[in-house]
């Protein structure tokens, strides 16, 4: 779904506000409906987005919510650097091997990589968008920490976790 859960969003905001200057640059990967822009753009005005499903860009008016919006796949998207990269409810939509590779790539292209993921959450196509399918439906907290190196939990519970660089 193009909407992120509100779970641990305030904790994520507090973490970013306490660690980064408002001039920091942010890339919101898989912007969907632009929820992170709603939460952070007033604090961090230098926000860009990448969204793979083109209809969401117009439907959710992403170009009015972000400075730049790219209709591309994060797996092949090329960029130099952002202070913060947000992957909110995105990793579960990427096959495990590709997920591990993209996390390694993104890790070195930012000061902070925030990964928020639901656990044990099967989901198929939603609203005509095949990219909404969860390709890692059985991911757990333990699996994430084992397979995706270099992270520690910011917050987690049995059904959802938010991770930051360790």
């Amino acid at each position: 779904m193009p909407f992120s859960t509100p779970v641990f969003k305030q904790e994520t905001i507090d973490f970013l506000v306490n660690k980064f200057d408002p001039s920091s640059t942010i890339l919101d990967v898989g912007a969907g409906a632009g929820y992170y822009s709603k939460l952070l753009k007033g604090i961090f005005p230098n926000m860009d987005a990448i969204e793979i499903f083109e209809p969401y860009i117009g439907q959710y008016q992403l170009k009015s919510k972000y400075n730049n919006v790219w209709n591309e796949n994060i797996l092949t998207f090329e960029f130099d650097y952002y202070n913060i990269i947000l992957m909110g409810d995105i990793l579960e939509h990427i096959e495990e091997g590709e997920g591990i590779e993209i996390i390694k790539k993104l890790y070195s292209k930012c000061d902070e990589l925030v990964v928020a993921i639901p656990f044990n959450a099967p989901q198929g196509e939603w609203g005509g968008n095949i990219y909404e399918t969860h390709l890692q439906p059985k991911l757990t907290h333990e699996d994430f920490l084992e397979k995706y190196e270099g992270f520690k939990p910011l917050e987690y519970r049995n059904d959802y976790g938010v991770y930051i660089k360790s």
Side-chain angles (χ1 to χ4, degrees), residues 8-153:
F8 301 134
K9 291 304 184 276
Q10 189 59 53
E11 293 85 349
T12 303
I13 293 167
D14 293 345
F15 169 75
L16 294 173
V17 166
N18 289 324
K19 185 173 179 181
F20 291 94
D21 183 87
S23 65
S24 299
T25 57
I26 297 179
L27 177 64
D28 184 358
V29 177
Y35 190 57
Y36 280 102
S37 174
K38 178 182 175 186
L39 296 175
L40 294 168
K41 185 117 175 142
I43 303 163
F44 298 101
N46 299 314
M47 287 188 77
D48 291 342
I50 178 171
E51 175 53 54
I52 194 169
F53 191 60
E54 193 276 331
Y56 286 172
I57 295 171
Q59 182 178 356
Y60 298 110
Q61 302 172 354
L62 297 182
K63 290 183 179 178
S64 70
K65 297 177 180 179
Y66 296 91
N67 298 358
N68 298 290
V69 177
W70 290 278
N71 175 216
E72 293 194 41
N73 186 329
I74 191 60
L75 300 176
T76 56
F77 184 62
E78 293 298 326
F79 64 94
D80 291 325
Y81 197 85
Y82 281 89
N83 298 114
I84 303 162
I85 298 177
L86 301 172
M87 288 191 74
D89 296 24
I90 298 304
L91 190 59
E92 68 275 14
H93 300 278
I94 301 171
E95 184 273 328
E96 183 181 295
E98 290 179 323
I100 290 168
E101 290 305 310
I102 194 60
I103 289 294
K104 286 179 185 176
K105 175 184 170 183
L106 296 179
Y107 203 93
S108 65
K109 290 184 168 247
C110 61
D111 298 319
E112 187 60 74
L113 177 55
V114 178
V115 179
I117 48 174
F119 303 133
N120 292 309
Q123 176 178 294
E125 181 179 315
W126 186 88
N129 182 354
I130 191 150
Y131 299 111
E132 292 290 357
T133 304
H134 287 188
L135 301 177
Q136 295 188 68
K138 296 182 180 184
L139 197 59
T140 66
H141 167 72
E142 293 78 18
D143 290 338
F144 177 81
L145 290 175
E146 179 183 317
K147 295 173 184 173
Y148 295 92
E149 297 177 7
F151 288 92
K152 64 183 179 184

